PDB file of all heavy atoms in Angstrom:
ATOM      1  N   GLY A  18       9.811 -49.761   0.800  1.00  0.00           N
ATOM      2  CA  GLY A  18       9.445 -51.170   0.856  1.00  0.00           C
ATOM      3  C   GLY A  18       8.055 -51.405   1.400  1.00  0.00           C
ATOM      4  O   GLY A  18       7.505 -52.471   1.243  1.00  0.00           O
ATOM      5  N   LYS A  19       7.479 -50.371   2.044  1.00  0.00           N
ATOM      6  CA  LYS A  19       6.116 -50.567   2.544  1.00  0.00           C
ATOM      7  C   LYS A  19       5.138 -50.543   1.380  1.00  0.00           C
ATOM      8  O   LYS A  19       5.297 -49.736   0.460  1.00  0.00           O
ATOM      9  CB  LYS A  19       5.759 -49.427   3.517  1.00  0.00           C
ATOM     10  CG  LYS A  19       6.096 -49.773   4.953  1.00  0.00           C
ATOM     11  CD  LYS A  19       5.342 -48.837   5.869  1.00  0.00           C
ATOM     12  CE  LYS A  19       5.492 -49.262   7.327  1.00  0.00           C
ATOM     13  NZ  LYS A  19       4.758 -48.400   8.217  1.00  0.00           N
ATOM     14  N   PRO A  20       4.130 -51.406   1.426  1.00  0.00           N
ATOM     15  CA  PRO A  20       3.156 -51.359   0.342  1.00  0.00           C
ATOM     16  C   PRO A  20       2.475 -49.996   0.303  1.00  0.00           C
ATOM     17  O   PRO A  20       2.196 -49.421   1.346  1.00  0.00           O
ATOM     18  CB  PRO A  20       2.159 -52.471   0.688  1.00  0.00           C
ATOM     19  CG  PRO A  20       2.397 -52.815   2.112  1.00  0.00           C
ATOM     20  CD  PRO A  20       3.807 -52.453   2.418  1.00  0.00           C
ATOM     21  N   SER A  21       2.202 -49.540  -0.920  1.00  0.00           N
ATOM     22  CA  SER A  21       1.675 -48.177  -1.040  1.00  0.00           C
ATOM     23  C   SER A  21       0.258 -48.076  -0.493  1.00  0.00           C
ATOM     24  O   SER A  21      -0.225 -46.993  -0.230  1.00  0.00           O
ATOM     25  CB  SER A  21       1.725 -47.739  -2.498  1.00  0.00           C
ATOM     26  OG  SER A  21       1.033 -48.699  -3.273  1.00  0.00           O
ATOM     27  N   SER A  22      -0.410 -49.233  -0.289  1.00  0.00           N
ATOM     28  CA  SER A  22      -1.789 -49.195   0.204  1.00  0.00           C
ATOM     29  C   SER A  22      -1.844 -48.676   1.642  1.00  0.00           C
ATOM     30  O   SER A  22      -2.891 -48.287   2.120  1.00  0.00           O
ATOM     31  CB  SER A  22      -2.396 -50.591   0.141  1.00  0.00           C
ATOM     32  OG  SER A  22      -1.597 -51.479   0.880  1.00  0.00           O
ATOM     33  N   LYS A  23      -0.696 -48.600   2.306  1.00  0.00           N
ATOM     34  CA  LYS A  23      -0.678 -48.080   3.682  1.00  0.00           C
ATOM     35  C   LYS A  23      -0.857 -46.570   3.697  1.00  0.00           C
ATOM     36  O   LYS A  23      -1.218 -45.992   4.687  1.00  0.00           O
ATOM     37  CB  LYS A  23       0.673 -48.420   4.338  1.00  0.00           C
ATOM     38  CG  LYS A  23       0.796 -49.884   4.724  1.00  0.00           C
ATOM     39  CD  LYS A  23       0.294 -50.111   6.154  1.00  0.00           C
ATOM     40  CE  LYS A  23       0.081 -51.572   6.463  1.00  0.00           C
ATOM     41  NZ  LYS A  23       1.307 -52.350   6.474  1.00  0.00           N
ATOM     42  N   ARG A  24      -0.483 -45.921   2.570  1.00  0.00           N
ATOM     43  CA  ARG A  24      -0.405 -44.462   2.564  1.00  0.00           C
ATOM     44  C   ARG A  24      -1.730 -43.770   2.871  1.00  0.00           C
ATOM     45  O   ARG A  24      -1.771 -42.904   3.725  1.00  0.00           O
ATOM     46  CB  ARG A  24       0.154 -43.972   1.223  1.00  0.00           C
ATOM     47  CG  ARG A  24       1.382 -43.127   1.443  1.00  0.00           C
ATOM     48  CD  ARG A  24       1.973 -42.668   0.141  1.00  0.00           C
ATOM     49  NE  ARG A  24       3.164 -43.399  -0.202  1.00  0.00           N
ATOM     50  CZ  ARG A  24       3.537 -43.661  -1.435  1.00  0.00           C
ATOM     51  NH1 ARG A  24       2.789 -43.274  -2.440  1.00  0.00           N
ATOM     52  NH2 ARG A  24       4.636 -44.319  -1.668  1.00  0.00           N
ATOM     53  N   PRO A  25      -2.843 -44.169   2.215  1.00  0.00           N
ATOM     54  CA  PRO A  25      -4.107 -43.471   2.465  1.00  0.00           C
ATOM     55  C   PRO A  25      -4.462 -43.422   3.935  1.00  0.00           C
ATOM     56  O   PRO A  25      -5.074 -42.457   4.392  1.00  0.00           O
ATOM     57  CB  PRO A  25      -5.112 -44.279   1.666  1.00  0.00           C
ATOM     58  CG  PRO A  25      -4.304 -44.892   0.583  1.00  0.00           C
ATOM     59  CD  PRO A  25      -2.972 -45.179   1.195  1.00  0.00           C
ATOM     60  N   LEU A  26      -4.063 -44.434   4.701  1.00  0.00           N
ATOM     61  CA  LEU A  26      -4.441 -44.482   6.106  1.00  0.00           C
ATOM     62  C   LEU A  26      -3.871 -43.281   6.855  1.00  0.00           C
ATOM     63  O   LEU A  26      -4.596 -42.547   7.518  1.00  0.00           O
ATOM     64  CB  LEU A  26      -3.938 -45.806   6.717  1.00  0.00           C
ATOM     65  CG  LEU A  26      -4.392 -45.987   8.173  1.00  0.00           C
ATOM     66  CD1 LEU A  26      -5.906 -46.119   8.252  1.00  0.00           C
ATOM     67  CD2 LEU A  26      -3.713 -47.210   8.789  1.00  0.00           C
ATOM     68  N   TRP A  27      -2.542 -43.051   6.737  1.00  0.00           N
ATOM     69  CA  TRP A  27      -1.974 -41.950   7.525  1.00  0.00           C
ATOM     70  C   TRP A  27      -2.410 -40.601   7.008  1.00  0.00           C
ATOM     71  O   TRP A  27      -2.535 -39.638   7.740  1.00  0.00           O
ATOM     72  CB  TRP A  27      -0.469 -42.046   7.680  1.00  0.00           C
ATOM     73  CG  TRP A  27       0.394 -41.857   6.455  1.00  0.00           C
ATOM     74  CD1 TRP A  27       0.936 -42.834   5.700  1.00  0.00           C
ATOM     75  CD2 TRP A  27       0.826 -40.617   5.884  1.00  0.00           C
ATOM     76  NE1 TRP A  27       1.667 -42.277   4.682  1.00  0.00           N
ATOM     77  CE2 TRP A  27       1.614 -40.920   4.777  1.00  0.00           C
ATOM     78  CE3 TRP A  27       0.597 -39.262   6.209  1.00  0.00           C
ATOM     79  CZ2 TRP A  27       2.182 -39.959   3.982  1.00  0.00           C
ATOM     80  CZ3 TRP A  27       1.170 -38.290   5.414  1.00  0.00           C
ATOM     81  CH2 TRP A  27       1.957 -38.645   4.316  1.00  0.00           C
ATOM     82  N   ILE A  28      -2.723 -40.558   5.693  1.00  0.00           N
ATOM     83  CA  ILE A  28      -3.236 -39.289   5.156  1.00  0.00           C
ATOM     84  C   ILE A  28      -4.589 -39.005   5.794  1.00  0.00           C
ATOM     85  O   ILE A  28      -4.865 -37.887   6.239  1.00  0.00           O
ATOM     86  CB  ILE A  28      -3.345 -39.355   3.612  1.00  0.00           C
ATOM     87  CG1 ILE A  28      -1.944 -39.373   2.999  1.00  0.00           C
ATOM     88  CG2 ILE A  28      -4.157 -38.177   3.063  1.00  0.00           C
ATOM     89  CD1 ILE A  28      -1.918 -39.535   1.492  1.00  0.00           C
ATOM     90  N   LEU A  29      -5.430 -40.076   5.914  1.00  0.00           N
ATOM     91  CA  LEU A  29      -6.746 -39.925   6.542  1.00  0.00           C
ATOM     92  C   LEU A  29      -6.609 -39.444   7.967  1.00  0.00           C
ATOM     93  O   LEU A  29      -7.300 -38.534   8.420  1.00  0.00           O
ATOM     94  CB  LEU A  29      -7.490 -41.276   6.502  1.00  0.00           C
ATOM     95  CG  LEU A  29      -8.259 -41.545   5.205  1.00  0.00           C
ATOM     96  CD1 LEU A  29      -8.942 -42.899   5.260  1.00  0.00           C
ATOM     97  CD2 LEU A  29      -9.285 -40.445   4.948  1.00  0.00           C
TER      98      LEU A  29
END
Side-chain angles (χ1 to χ4, degrees):
K19 269 198 172 181
S21 55
S22 57
K23 286 270 166 66
R24 237 178 255 148
L26 185 65
W27 68 261
I28 290 176
L29 275 179

